[in-house]
Amino acid sequence: MCNRHDKLRSDNKDLQKVEKQFDRREFLTKTSLGIGALAFSSLLNSDKAWSNVKNNIKPNLGELGDINNVLPHHLPKAKRCIYLFQSGGPSQLELFDYKPKLKGLFGQDLPESVRAGQRLTGMSADQTSFPIAASTINFNQYGESRAWVSDAMPYLSEVVDDICFIKSMQTDAINHDPAITFFQTGSQQPGRPSIGSWISYGLGSDNDNLPTFITLVSKNGGGQPLYARLWGNGFLPTEHQGVQFRSGKDPVLYLSDPENYDGHDRRHMLDYLSKLNKIQNDAYGDPEINARMAQYEMAFKMQTSVPEVTDMSDEPEYIFDMYGEDSRDPGTYAANCLLGRKLLEKDVKFVQLYHQGWDQHLGCPGGVKMNAKKTDQANAALIKDLKQRGMFEDTLIIWGGEFGRTVYSQGKLTATDYGRDHHPKAFTMFMAGAGVKPGITYGETDDFSYNVVKDPVHTHDFQATLLHLFGIDHERLTYKHQGRRFRLTDVHGHVVKDILS
């Protein structure tokens, strides 16, 4: 082997030149960066890859020779996604998981055989009893699917035949921040890339004028705080971080020109800056230099595209009526749902909405009704709107929080009021649209909505299924960081094939 290498080196003047120019460490560093750039460029060319898969054309892998460098891995069902994250932990018992037997058990202590020593939060661990609280909100069945929905969600009841309810969700974290971080990044510890960043890294953009991944947060939200790291890029290149759009005059911070500057020479400035950064990149080979330039270019394009996409003046009155009166007030949940639809129309690949306020430790019935009133009409309108525009079949819609709520009351229990603590071992989410079976309910909980008794779906299973719908094998989309190959699902997760159409 050594003799063969020596012969190649003696016959190859280019190789001799390289060896003279670099020492071993520098050569390996710059070569690896070059290969990484080639692989990354192939990831960005997602339209071509999708077309190849669709038409059963084998990709030309060239010298890389690794199918992991070509995405999507299989034919995707989802072209875009809007994730409606309900921060705080919506109570499945008040919304979707109907448990009629609980009415006859009002005030009785939750059997130890049901609780089975499960972890409790510090807010209810010192309770001397765990009295059962049946929901005071009525339920009915709707649609051909006969799905159970409470009276708190009257608009959603109109579209149940388009929805897949997953009533057997489970997660590992019992407190808000690690639980939200776990859902959004696959780890309870901060620092990992978010779902939208993984999608951006793996598939690139379908739009040259807007970010691949955009985040919207309902204004004036109370409850648990939300941090920008929830839509951060972690250790992925920085151009894959989520960009937050805000309500008000400047939807994106620092995008507007300074006062008394007309921006006429900005193109010239960016071109010159690009030349300077190219010199730096040639000298140091730091991929963050190119990432920063990509962000500058995107910001330049967004100066035109953002005012256009956030302008609601072209929306007809019947659209505002469909989403509800709040949709006329920028920054509300309803307005963000409508803006989210506009972003999806512009081929933004991943839109993340956050709505706070679902943390009902006290006053659960009233708190759930209040939050449902703010969100229910817009949720249903979004599904109807996407359907009438022909976008429902390739848009994935997700609704859910970080965990559910306990069947027992936290604090004082009365005939009309009670609170519920965090419960990670059994709760409900729903999905709809691209590649998801419509009009089904998947999974079951016990009579107390405390334990999953059929078809459990873990957080990592949910993440693996989401990536699968985008044509991504969750075990093959990895990024090497600090000597280890990381992925969204860590070392866990399986695709929930029974909910796929």
Side-chain angles (χ1 to χ4, degrees):
M1 186 72 175
C2 292
N3 291 337
R4 181 174 179 270
H5 174 73
D6 292 340
K7 185 178 185 303
L8 286 172
R9 182 172 55 184
S10 64
D11 293 342
N12 193 324
K13 294 181 179 180
D14 290 336
L15 183 56
Q16 291 176 4
K17 184 178 179 181
V18 167
E19 287 183 335
K20 289 179 181 179
Q21 185 175 355
F22 303 115
D23 60 25
R24 181 174 179 273
R25 182 187 298 273
E26 190 171 5
F27 173 75
L28 291 175
T29 298
K30 291 204 170 187
T31 303
S32 65
L33 289 170
I35 293 174
L38 286 172
F40 183 61
S41 66
S42 72
L43 296 180
L44 291 179
N45 194 8
S46 59
D47 288 338
K48 182 178 180 181
W50 191 93
S51 177
N52 286 345
V53 174
K54 183 177 180 181
N55 296 295
N56 198 28
I57 299 173
K58 291 185 177 181
N60 180 10
L61 300 177
E63 296 179 357
L64 297 177
D66 185 357
I67 192 63
N68 290 326
N69 292 320
V70 179
L71 277 87
H73 297 126
H74 55 265
L75 183 63
K77 295 293 185 69
K79 184 178 180 181
R80 60 189 81 83
C81 174
I82 184 164
Y83 189 166
L84 311 170
F85 194 90
Q86 312 299 310
S87 174
S91 173
Q92 74 281 5
L93 288 152
E94 269 63 48
L95 296 173
F96 306 117
D97 204 10
Y98 181 48
K99 299 298 176 184
K101 293 183 180 181
L102 294 179
K103 292 188 180 297
L105 300 174
F106 174 82
Q108 296 184 27
D109 207 42
L110 179 66
E112 180 57 36
S113 60
V114 174
R115 193 159 64 86
Q118 290 184 33
R119 181 185 177 192
L120 304 175
T121 74
M123 292 167 285
S124 61
D126 293 334
Q127 289 188 193
T128 57
S129 65
F130 300 90
I132 293 171
S135 175
T136 60
I137 303 176
N138 294 323
F139 278 72
N140 285 289
Q141 288 178 288
Y142 298 93
E144 294 183 6
S145 60
R146 309 307 296 152
W148 288 101
V149 179
S150 84
D151 290 352
M153 294 277 194
Y155 290 94
L156 197 74
S157 66
E158 299 173 1
V159 294
V160 292
D161 288 336
D162 296 312
I163 290 173
C164 168
F165 292 98
I166 305 174
K167 294 188 176 181
S168 53
M169 288 298 306
Q170 297 180 322
T171 190
D172 295 345
I174 198 170
N175 290 312
H176 293 287
D177 188 65
I180 296 176
T181 304
F182 190 46
F183 252 99
Q184 298 301 293
T185 72
S187 171
Q188 296 184 45
Q189 301 299 320
R192 300 282 185 88
S194 57
I195 295 176
S197 293
W198 279 111
I199 294 290
S200 174
Y201 168 71
L203 297 177
S205 177
D206 295 332
N207 186 313
D208 293 332
N209 300 314
L210 288 167
T212 308
F213 174 24
I214 292 175
T215 295
L216 305 167
V217 181
S218 299
K219 68 178 182 180
N220 302 324
Q224 300 300 318
L226 299 171
Y227 303 101
R229 57 177 167 77
L230 295 174
W231 50 91
N233 58 293
F235 44 69
L236 294 177
T238 52
E239 68 262 39
H240 302 297
Q241 68 181 341
V243 176
Q244 184 179 358
F245 278 29
R246 295 165 167 83
S247 60
K249 181 180 179 182
D250 296 313
V252 180
L253 296 180
Y254 314 117
L255 192 64
S256 301
D257 288 327
E259 189 176 355
N260 299 323
Y261 173 63
D262 61 12
H264 70 279
D265 60 347
R266 186 176 297 279
R267 178 70 268 168
H268 176 72
M269 180 195 72
L270 286 176
D271 290 341
Y272 190 77
L273 186 60
S274 180
K275 292 178 181 179
L276 293 176
N277 277 284
K278 185 179 185 304
I279 295 172
Q280 287 290 96
N281 186 57
D282 290 342
Y284 298 104
D286 184 353
E288 280 300 308
I289 295 174
N290 287 331
R292 180 58 58 87
M293 283 309 303
Q295 290 176 313
Y296 287 158
E297 291 292 336
M298 178 56 70
F300 176 67
K301 296 172 182 176
M302 287 168 62
Q303 287 191 302
T304 301
S305 61
V306 168
E308 177 186 346
V309 78
T310 56
D311 180 11
M312 297 293 179
S313 62
D314 59 343
E315 293 292 330
E317 285 298 310
Y318 83 90
I319 289 293
F320 289 111
D321 293 340
M322 181 188 296
Y323 281 86
E325 188 60 31
D326 280 355
S327 64
R328 304 174 191 273
D329 183 6
T332 62
Y333 182 81
N336 283 345
C337 283
L338 178 52
L339 176 56
R341 187 269 290 163
K342 292 192 70 172
L343 293 170
L344 295 174
E345 279 188 304
K346 296 293 185 180
D347 289 324
V348 174
K349 196 175 291 292
F350 200 91
V351 178
Q352 178 89 60
L353 269 67
Y354 287 93
H355 182 77
Q356 297 160 284
W358 290 97
D359 193 23
Q360 274 79 46
H361 290 276
L362 301 173
C364 183
V368 167
K369 288 178 181 178
M370 179 182 67
N371 274 284
K373 186 176 181 180
K374 292 180 180 179
T375 60
D376 175 44
Q377 184 173 355
N379 291 332
L382 180 62
I383 292 175
K384 294 176 182 178
D385 201 3
L386 291 172
K387 288 184 72 174
Q388 72 181 6
R389 294 170 191 274
M391 298 171 61
F392 183 74
E393 295 302 320
D394 56 8
T395 302
L396 178 62
I397 303 142
I398 302 168
W399 182 99
E402 65 268 37
F403 41 55
R405 313 303 294 196
T406 57
V407 66
Y408 62 80
S409 176
Q410 177 186 339
K412 185 177 181 181
L413 171 65
T414 71
T416 58
D417 200 18
Y418 45 85
R420 297 196 190 277
D421 203 358
H422 310 164
H423 187 57
K425 294 302 181 183
F427 58 103
T428 300
M429 293 179 65
F430 71 71
M431 302 173 73
V436 177
K437 284 182 182 177
I440 68 167
T441 294
Y442 184 80
E444 293 180 18
T445 58
D446 59 19
D447 290 338
F448 302 89
S449 192
Y450 207 81
N451 298 289
V452 172
V453 296
K454 182 181 179 182
D455 299 326
V457 178
H458 186 266
T459 302
H460 286 312
D461 302 331
F462 156 75
Q463 293 161 343
T465 305
L466 189 160
L467 292 180
H468 177 86
L469 289 167
F470 272 98
I472 298 173
D473 182 339
H474 71 105
E475 294 183 349
R476 294 164 64 188
L477 179 61
T478 63
Y479 188 88
K480 192 171 184 179
H481 174 65
Q482 296 184 341
R484 177 191 164 188
R485 293 194 178 277
F486 287 86
R487 69 186 206 220
L488 173 62
T489 52
D490 196 35
V491 295
H492 308 283
H494 70 275
V495 176
V496 187
K497 295 182 179 180
D498 289 341
I499 71 169
L500 304 181
S501 59

